[in-house]
Amino acid sequence: STQSTWGLPSHESQSLNVIKRSLIHCCRVLGICLQDSVPTVVVSACNLLKCSVDIYCKHVTEGDIKLGLGNVLSIVINRCTDMNTSINTAAQEAVMHLSKNGKVGVSYIASSVIAPVENPNVWRAIVGRLDVMSSLVDTFGISTNGITTEMAMTFAVGSFECPNGK
């Protein structure tokens, strides 16, 4: 059999590329489902995201997983602020599940949580992110390899500032 540039037989290399592409496409579809207005669709998408990441983690690298999650993670974090309890709960469970995953991890999730909110005038988004950060700190604590004190405090203090600087 012919060898690929990584020393794998070419059919294995092709299979790995198919898996990587399917991860990206799966996350794109989940991103669409996560933005749906029907609660059962969103809750199912959150559950499928958890399962999908667990399965893909067995086959691809940490970088591939994070690339696949791309903007899906910010959508899930934003759904943690949803007024619908089932959506809110499912999204928070998905975020915590991803935080516990070795190839995703708490530091990656925390960095996404503290990313600037698209519209800082929408207080619910800020409160939701504070709630997620609080859950992460409660579960994982403050450390140098996950959520740092500076990261948590900078985010918390910044959340209480008025968007117009007053």
Side-chain angles (χ1 to χ4, degrees):
S1 91
T2 60
Q3 297 285 314
S4 70
T5 54
W6 295 303
L8 296 171
S10 60
H11 69 279
E12 287 180 30
S13 177
Q14 290 173 348
S15 294
L16 185 58
N17 286 333
V18 168
I19 292 170
K20 289 177 184 181
R21 284 195 316 272
S22 70
L23 167 65
I24 291 168
H25 292 299
C26 178
C27 287
R28 284 183 187 158
V29 171
L30 287 172
I32 293 167
C33 294
L34 287 165
Q35 295 178 69
D36 202 290
S37 60
V38 178
T40 54
V41 172
V42 177
V43 170
S44 295
C46 287
N47 292 332
L48 183 56
L49 177 64
K50 294 187 300 187
C51 295
S52 298
V53 169
D54 288 347
I55 291 167
Y56 282 111
C57 278
K58 296 175 184 174
H59 303 286
V60 298
T61 66
E62 179 179 328
D64 293 329
I65 290 292
K66 290 177 180 176
L67 178 67
L69 286 175
N71 68 340
V72 172
L73 187 54
S74 64
I75 296 168
V76 173
I77 290 169
N78 288 337
R79 293 314 298 245
C80 289
T81 68
D82 203 279
M83 291 179 60
N84 181 295
T85 306
S86 61
I87 292 174
N88 182 306
T89 301
Q92 287 191 20
E93 288 173 359
V95 168
M96 295 306 291
H97 182 85
L98 294 173
S99 298
K100 294 174 184 174
N101 183 294
K103 289 190 178 178
V104 180
V106 65
S107 60
Y108 181 69
I109 297 295
S111 65
S112 297
V113 170
I114 66 170
V117 178
E118 291 175 15
N119 183 354
N121 293 321
V122 181
W123 62 270
R124 187 172 287 121
I126 295 169
V127 171
R129 287 172 182 254
L130 283 168
D131 190 35
V132 171
M133 182 61 83
S134 176
S135 295
L136 292 172
V137 171
D138 286 347
T139 303
F140 299 100
I142 299 286
S143 67
T144 56
N145 61 352
I147 303 169
T148 65
T149 304
E150 181 181 353
M151 177 191 290
M153 293 309 296
T154 301
F155 175 69
V157 169
S159 297
F160 292 104
E161 293 177 354
C162 185
N164 64 10
K166 293 183 180 179

